[in-house]
Amino acid sequence: DQQVKQNSPSLSVQEGRISILNCDYTNSMFDYFLWYKKYPAEGPTFLISISSIKDKNEDGRFTVFLNKSAKHLSLHIVPSQPGDSAVYFCAASETFDAGNNRKLIWGLGTSLAVNP
Amino acid sequence: DAMVIQNPRYQVTQFGKPVTLSCSQTLNHNVMYWYQQKSSQAPKLLFHYYDKDFNNEADTPDNFQSRRPNTSFCFLDIRSPGLGDAAMYLCATSRDINPYNEQFFGPGTRLTVL
């Protein structure tokens, strides 16, 4: 049973337009969310994160929005560039679990293609 | 540059023949992780070390073992690889176990089992 869901396996966007990648989660105990980007033949690299006490976090062209009531977050990339073409993983965690449940739970990823 | 290095990048083994994958880091991070990622699936955490403390995930098969002889190196041993163990194996590090600490990934080792 997937606790972090990325329902769109792929997305294609024109250069200069906005890319919106979506992520849904089921565990209400998750309180920290991250996006990682992965190029072929490389490991994932951290992109941006958001704590559940916020509803928005922005870093340059990348903005993550969190809707806790809907258990939904989205990553916006504006403007999209061909170099953004990669697989984007959403991940979630409980930060204050006294046990060992602070591991990241990953989605399946969304492959973004930004066309020139 | 500080980094996470995995060797080899590609590993071919035979069914049942033990194999060891290697990971090293120059970041001096306390935590080292091993993930398994199969095609079109999410990365799955196998285990992690916090310093010398080993933490195994409950659903990690006994066939998978790990060693961390020092801060810089961590090994993944697959004692008797099966066809279902063919996957990308990702090593990652972080300064601390808290998810606020970014995980840094190596490029991965793609394991083929014949």
Side-chain angles (χ1 to χ4, degrees):
Chain A
D1 181 32
Q2 276 217 282
Q3 297 185 68
V4 177
K5 300 176 184 177
Q6 294 178 256
N7 292 319
S8 297
S10 63
L11 176 67
S12 183
V13 172
Q14 284 299 117
E15 181 178 5
R17 298 291 186 104
I18 183 171
S19 295
I20 300 176
L21 296 96
N22 294 304
C23 179
D24 297 292
Y25 62 96
T26 58
N27 187 344
S28 58
M29 297 302 292
F30 288 152
D31 58 3
Y32 195 67
F33 306 88
L34 308 91
W35 286 92
Y36 277 78
K37 179 168 75 172
K38 185 182 184 303
Y39 292 119
E42 295 183 14
T45 55
F46 171 76
L47 187 59
I48 193 169
S49 63
I50 188 167
S51 166
S52 61
I53 62 174
K54 295 185 174 182
D55 55 19
K56 176 183 174 182
N57 189 25
E58 191 172 354
D59 184 2
R61 295 185 298 114
F62 302 91
T63 303
V64 56
F65 295 92
L66 175 62
N67 182 335
K68 281 187 293 182
S69 61
K71 295 192 180 70
H72 176 83
L73 64 155
S74 60
L75 174 68
H76 292 211
I77 306 173
V78 183
S80 301
Q81 299 173 354
D84 296 329
S85 298
V87 177
Y88 289 79
F89 289 97
C90 173
S93 181
E94 305 174 40
T95 55
F96 299 111
D97 192 314
N100 199 29
N101 286 328
R102 287 176 286 177
K103 67 181 180 183
L104 294 182
I105 306 299
W106 297 73
L108 295 180
T110 296
S111 179
L112 174 66
V114 180
N115 306 306
Chain B
D1 285 341
M3 57 190 347
V4 181
I5 301 162
Q6 290 189 245
N7 286 306
R9 295 292 307 274
Y10 300 90
Q11 176 73 57
V12 180
T13 191
Q14 290 182 329
F15 183 95
K17 184 175 181 181
V19 66
T20 295
L21 309 182
S22 169
C23 177
S24 64
Q25 55 134 340
T26 60
L27 297 159
N28 203 33
H29 281 170
N30 293 315
V31 190
M32 295 188 77
Y33 308 81
W34 280 105
Y35 287 89
Q36 178 193 64
Q37 187 179 21
K38 297 185 177 180
S39 180
S40 301
Q41 294 187 17
K44 177 181 179 299
L45 182 65
L46 296 173
F47 25 59
H48 74 271
Y49 272 96
Y50 190 117
D51 286 335
K52 297 179 182 178
D53 293 334
F54 177 70
N55 296 272
N56 199 28
E57 292 300 306
D59 57 354
T60 298
D62 293 339
N63 198 25
F64 291 84
Q65 304 285 321
S66 186
R67 296 170 283 135
R68 189 179 186 185
N70 53 54
T71 301
S72 301
F73 285 87
C74 195
F75 300 98
L76 170 62
D77 301 307
I78 308 176
R79 292 192 295 188
S80 181
L83 298 178
D85 297 327
M88 176 71 81
Y89 289 89
L90 295 164
C91 174
T93 74
S94 65
R95 185 172 293 113
D96 195 81
I97 192 66
N98 194 299
Y100 290 134
N101 292 272
E102 173 186 346
Q103 291 188 22
F104 293 81
F105 284 82
T109 295
R110 181 163 297 282
L111 177 68
T112 300
V113 181
L114 300 177

